[in-house]
Amino acid sequence: QTVRWHIELQPWASPTPSLNYEASRFLKYISTSQISCEHMNLNSLKGYSETTKKPWSICLDERFSLIHRIRSKQCRLYSLGLGNDDNQFELSMANSGCEVHRFDPSIKAAHIQQGRHLWYHRLSIDWRDPNPAIAAHKLHSSTKKLGTVLNEFGHQKIDVLKADVESAEWKILENLILEDVVEQIGQLVFEVHIHWPGFEVSGNDSTVVRYWYSLLRELELKDFRLFHTYKDLSKPQMFLKKEAFNASSCYTLSWVNTRWK
């Protein structure tokens, strides 16, 4: 299998590169469900209380595997965060019998188990592994790619990958696509930030938006379908540092891998 170094960029949205056209296409794309999901919250599961600050929507329809894996206590959630104290979603998934792993570099100890089903790991999930030959990278030995962590933990599959990583999500998503790790994931719930390009995303504004759009189209090519979009109106209304396009700076997007029945 050949290693991919770059995602395929989609054609420009207009004959000549234009931020207006790129932004319009991208915002329409993230606001349009590609598949309907009837059951999206955990209220039907025991031990769930309605105190989640954000709607981390997962699809619990019978035609997808997640609800069956929850019932048989075989589901696994990976949650990527950066010092965020809102772990209600993780707790409710653990209460419903899922094996939950929360990765956050701000955690006090290397590994903490809380209850039967919830683990905290002092690890930052990144789009590259540290290079031991580079002195500066030794400081980041708690930074790893998701594929590396899956191998080290001996996990073949993740039923839900939740990510709230403050603008690292674009490069992490790119890494998951390029290394085919995304195919080991049943559902993705990502908070995406569009007030600036994101870590290590370069280019002018229209190039950045084309790259974001191309990434999400790659997910679609891998049989992921967007089923829920939450536009966070509590965040500044910013799009690439401009008050434009009636956009929020932050959206939570949920996809289901339709290959996972």
Side-chain angles (χ1 to χ4, degrees):
Q1 185 173 336
T2 56
V3 175
R4 292 176 67 196
W5 296 100
H6 303 284
I7 61 157
E8 295 291 325
L9 287 175
Q10 292 291 319
W12 292 99
S14 53
T16 53
S18 145
L19 178 59
N20 278 348
Y21 279 100
E22 294 304 320
S24 167
R25 175 172 72 170
F26 172 76
L27 290 167
K28 183 181 178 194
Y29 191 79
I30 64 170
S31 305
T32 308
S33 293
Q34 298 167 332
I35 198 167
S36 66
C37 178
E38 303 292 318
H39 306 284
M40 281 191 286
N41 61 32
L42 289 159
N43 291 355
S44 52
L45 305 174
K46 64 179 179 17
Y48 186 71
S49 58
E50 269 295 346
T51 52
T52 313
K53 294 177 191 163
K54 286 186 193 132
W56 297 104
S57 296
I58 51 178
C59 190
L60 299 169
D61 285 5
E62 296 285 337
R63 61 187 165 141
F64 300 120
S65 64
L66 182 58
I67 186 63
H68 306 287
R69 292 176 67 83
I70 289 175
R71 286 183 190 136
S72 62
K73 305 282 192 260
Q74 290 184 311
C75 75
R76 179 181 293 130
L77 165 72
Y78 270 31
S79 166
L80 318 182
L82 291 171
N84 190 332
D85 57 352
D86 177 17
N87 61 355
Q88 192 60 47
F89 177 73
E90 289 79 358
L91 289 171
S92 35
M93 290 292 278
N95 286 341
S96 62
C98 288
E99 173 190 331
V100 177
H101 296 272
R102 170 99 175 148
F103 298 90
D104 187 331
S106 68
I107 287 163
K108 304 275 189 294
H111 304 282
I112 302 168
Q113 184 173 355
Q114 183 181 325
R116 280 181 57 199
H117 301 292
L118 180 58
W119 286 265
Y120 291 91
H121 308 281
R122 189 174 59 206
L123 270 175
S124 173
I125 303 298
D126 200 3
W127 54 94
R128 63 200 156 200
D129 284 328
N131 180 345
I134 300 174
H137 282 205
K138 286 182 181 163
L139 302 171
H140 302 290
S141 57
S142 62
T143 296
K144 290 178 179 172
K145 293 188 295 192
L146 188 68
T148 304
V149 172
L150 283 169
N151 287 338
E152 289 180 0
F153 284 23
H155 293 162
Q156 300 297 316
K157 291 189 168 181
I158 307 170
D159 292 283
V160 181
L161 176 65
K162 171 199 165 189
D164 180 3
V165 287
E166 307 303 333
S167 300
E169 65 275 356
W170 299 111
K171 294 299 283 186
I172 290 173
L173 193 55
E174 181 186 60
N175 168 254
L176 299 183
I177 290 167
L178 291 177
E179 298 192 353
D180 292 327
V181 176
V182 76
E183 289 163 17
Q184 296 169 256
I185 300 167
Q187 297 192 23
L188 290 169
V189 191
F190 267 56
E191 188 170 282
V192 300
H193 302 84
I194 60 175
H195 58 290
W196 70 293
F199 292 107
E200 294 197 18
V201 177
S202 58
N204 63 24
D205 286 354
S206 53
T207 303
V208 166
V209 184
R210 179 193 185 201
Y211 164 75
W212 290 344
Y213 174 73
S214 300
L215 266 181
L216 302 188
R217 285 299 303 273
E218 289 254 358
L219 277 182
E220 192 181 338
L221 291 172
K222 291 192 178 283
D223 294 310
F224 279 81
R225 296 292 178 266
L226 185 69
F227 66 86
H228 190 258
T229 301
Y230 169 68
K231 180 178 179 180
D232 192 342
L233 296 174
S234 71
K235 296 283 173 71
Q237 306 290 292
M238 298 292 285
F239 188 95
L240 290 176
K241 303 182 180 167
K242 302 174 187 67
E243 290 184 25
F245 310 115
N246 193 25
S248 168
S249 58
C250 178
Y251 291 76
T252 306
L253 306 176
S254 301
W255 292 267
V256 60
N257 181 346
T258 56
R259 277 187 207 174
W260 280 41
K261 296 298 184 195

